[in-house]
Amino acid sequence: MMFSFSGVDNDRGQWRSMATALVAGMLMLLSGCSEPARLPFDSGVGARPDLPPAHKEVIPTVHVAKARGWPAGATPDLAAGLAVTPFGHGLDHPRWLYVLPNGDVLVAETNAPPKPQDGKGIKGFVMKLVMRYAGAGTPSADRITLLRDTDGDGIAETRSVLLDGLHSPFGMALVGARLYVANTDAVVSFPYVAGQLRIDAPATRLVDLPAGPINHHWTKNLIASPDGQTLYVTVGSNSNVAENGVDQEVDRAAIWAVDIATGAHRIYASGLRNPNGMGWEPGSQTLWTVVNERDELGSDLVPDYLTSVRQDGFYGWPYSYFGGHVDSRVQPPAPEMVARAIVPDYALGTHVAPLGMAFADGQSLGARFAHGVFVGEHGSWNRKPRSGYKVVFVPFDGPRPSGAMPVDVVTGFVRQDQALGRPVGVALDRRGGLLVADDVGNTIWRVRSSATR
């Protein structure tokens, strides 16, 4: 006996169309109520950004580009002297990248886990609609896919599911013969043999990570210490500015140091609202990270940033930002914590949402990109006009930013008010190409010098 579901499918399609129209209408209304930036974007960039007086937004600024995806044959725009190819496409929300020693590229195809207690009420309902509109509402694929470019043409010919059945995976690191993965609720590891296309061995749990029914910032990244003895793990806050209560922020807004041998952990640095990408500065071997700062203080506050990470350092969240700039929304105040707050090294601009970062590795992309950091900026929702939605390069002079403005490397992700893509993780491949994970375009882009393959 055969059944027809065409009527049901049509009903679902109509409901989706109605929901999309409703969201678009709500966003237009909110955008019309939003207060645009009064300062030029560049004033919020650099070691000493301009920080105007704060004012709490009664109605948050909402200005989001609708996720569309790339038309056939379209590619991002590039800085002069660079070329781009799709290294891998047709992926499912690719967020993070890791390059293995043999050149294979691992891609975390992932999205947020269920968070039943996050974003309750009218505001939470609206924000969930906004995230779906921006392309972040699909179920998580929960897998790590391996891409291999066998012939060196900059396009992966081999694709294999290396691991599946994970739990919103994000960061990855190979230490010795074990591959470590940061799920949203734990760091786990698997045995790894060079060149293998599939791992079927069960996971070994190294350490539990804060998750739970709120799990506001769910992405957990990790990086191994140069000596291979410690994993540094990012754990974002459980809120914007502790509005769920400080008790919900235990061990969050921090970078953990986890002993690989035992799983014992300690807080390495704290007061970092939502750290994501990490890297070791090549000369000093100092740990650096990019951090998403707080929202709902207007289009001119607060700059996201790139900073070196001091052991036992406190960077202000939630009580203050950029050192001693107090956030009066947080009650009760904590002046003793504000007095300890470290000023970050380099502001990237307001609401750019930096996620990926990778230190340059030689002059494969040209001399101007030889010393510094590539940053994947996922793009704003709380700024008008929009910011981010691109990959930039922050030049360094020795072990620190030179003070020069960031250089646009990969742009053109938003066209005609729609997001064709959104950059997330970035990594340098074994031949010096810059890989960019695009979670709306479902593509890994490879950027190279136009003079090379």
Side-chain angles (χ1 to χ4, degrees):
M1 189 172 185
M2 297 182 66
F3 296 88
S4 173
F5 291 90
S6 59
V8 175
D9 290 340
N10 287 338
D11 288 344
R12 287 175 178 168
Q14 290 173 1
W15 277 110
R16 280 195 294 267
S17 298
M18 291 172 63
T20 300
L22 175 63
V23 174
M26 291 176 65
L27 291 180
M28 287 181 64
L29 178 63
L30 288 169
S31 181
C33 298
S34 300
E35 183 177 337
R38 298 182 180 181
L39 299 176
F41 175 78
D42 289 356
S43 68
V45 179
R48 291 179 292 277
D50 191 348
L51 303 174
H55 66 279
K56 180 180 177 180
E57 293 186 313
V58 177
I59 300 176
T61 296
V62 178
H63 191 50
V64 181
K66 184 183 186 303
R68 176 188 170 190
W70 295 93
T75 62
D77 299 326
L78 302 165
L82 300 179
V84 65
T85 53
F87 182 78
H89 57 86
L91 296 156
D92 188 347
H93 212 247
R95 296 275 288 182
W96 214 243
L97 301 167
Y98 185 75
V99 180
L100 291 166
N102 70 344
D104 288 347
V105 177
L106 303 186
V107 182
E109 295 179 87
T110 187
N111 213 335
K115 301 183 288 182
Q117 297 298 316
D118 187 33
K120 285 190 167 183
I122 294 176
K123 178 181 173 182
F125 173 74
V126 172
M127 288 312 301
K128 287 177 182 177
L129 291 178
V130 167
M131 293 303 104
R132 292 191 187 110
Y133 190 81
T138 58
S140 178
D142 285 347
R143 65 175 173 256
I144 292 174
T145 293
L146 182 148
L147 301 178
R148 178 178 294 168
D149 177 9
T150 305
D151 60 6
D153 66 350
I155 299 173
E157 296 82 30
T158 300
R159 178 186 301 188
S160 175
V161 175
L162 184 72
L163 289 164
D164 54 14
L166 300 169
H167 189 199
S168 294
F170 201 73
M172 299 159 279
L174 179 65
V175 181
R178 296 200 72 82
L179 178 66
Y180 291 85
V181 176
N183 281 329
T184 192
D185 59 352
V187 176
V188 297
S189 71
F190 303 86
Y192 169 78
V193 177
Q196 71 182 111
L197 297 175
R198 172 78 184 176
I199 296 176
D200 291 310
T204 298
R205 206 173 186 93
L206 178 66
V207 62
D208 290 340
L209 299 174
I214 299 177
N215 203 16
H216 186 71
H217 289 120
W218 62 273
T219 54
K220 312 296 200 299
N221 185 30
L222 55 80
I223 190 173
S225 61
D227 63 9
Q229 297 184 11
T230 305
L231 288 177
Y232 294 88
V233 184
T234 65
V235 182
S237 68
N238 225 5
S239 61
N240 182 30
V241 282
E243 63 270 16
N244 296 320
V246 176
D247 61 314
Q248 297 294 323
E249 303 295 346
V250 176
D251 289 339
R252 282 185 170 266
I255 294 176
W256 290 20
V258 180
D259 181 74
I260 289 179
T262 66
H265 76 275
R266 61 184 176 84
I267 300 299
Y268 184 77
S270 60
L272 301 153
R273 178 178 173 269
N274 186 25
N276 275 271
M278 293 183 288
W280 298 101
E281 194 282 316
S284 64
Q285 290 297 295
T286 300
L287 182 65
W288 286 70
T289 189
V290 287
V291 177
N292 284 230
E293 252 292 355
R294 66 203 74 200
D295 297 318
E296 300 176 34
L297 288 177
S299 294
D300 292 315
L301 288 175
V302 170
D304 301 324
Y305 60 85
L306 165 73
T307 192
S308 57
V309 184
R310 300 185 199 174
Q311 182 173 341
D312 300 321
F314 175 71
Y315 289 80
W317 190 92
Y319 305 105
S320 67
Y321 52 89
F322 260 81
H325 295 82
V326 174
D327 192 331
S328 62
R329 297 174 296 178
V330 184
Q331 298 295 325
E336 71 285 359
M337 297 300 292
V338 174
R340 289 180 47 202
I342 296 169
V343 178
D345 288 287
Y346 191 90
L348 293 164
T350 55
H351 305 299
V352 298
L355 295 178
M357 67 163 284
F359 276 97
D361 183 16
Q363 299 193 24
S364 58
L365 297 181
R368 60 180 167 160
F369 300 124
H371 303 289
V373 177
F374 296 97
V375 179
E377 298 180 347
H378 200 221
S380 63
W381 69 267
N382 190 215
R383 186 176 190 274
K384 188 176 182 178
R386 299 184 188 96
S387 57
Y389 294 93
K390 59 185 175 180
V391 179
V392 302
F393 181 76
V394 179
F396 270 47
D397 183 6
R400 308 187 66 80
S402 67
M405 293 294 293
V407 178
D408 287 351
V409 182
V410 190
T411 59
F413 287 92
V414 176
R415 299 177 188 175
Q416 297 180 344
D417 215 36
Q418 294 183 319
L420 307 187
R422 297 185 77 179
V424 192
V426 295
L428 278 299
D429 69 17
R430 199 170 60 167
R431 295 190 293 129
L434 176 67
L435 302 173
V436 180
D438 175 354
D439 68 354
V440 164
N442 290 324
T443 299
I444 308 302
W445 301 103
R446 184 177 187 269
V447 180
R448 57 176 174 81
S449 167
S450 56
T452 63
R453 283 187 68 181

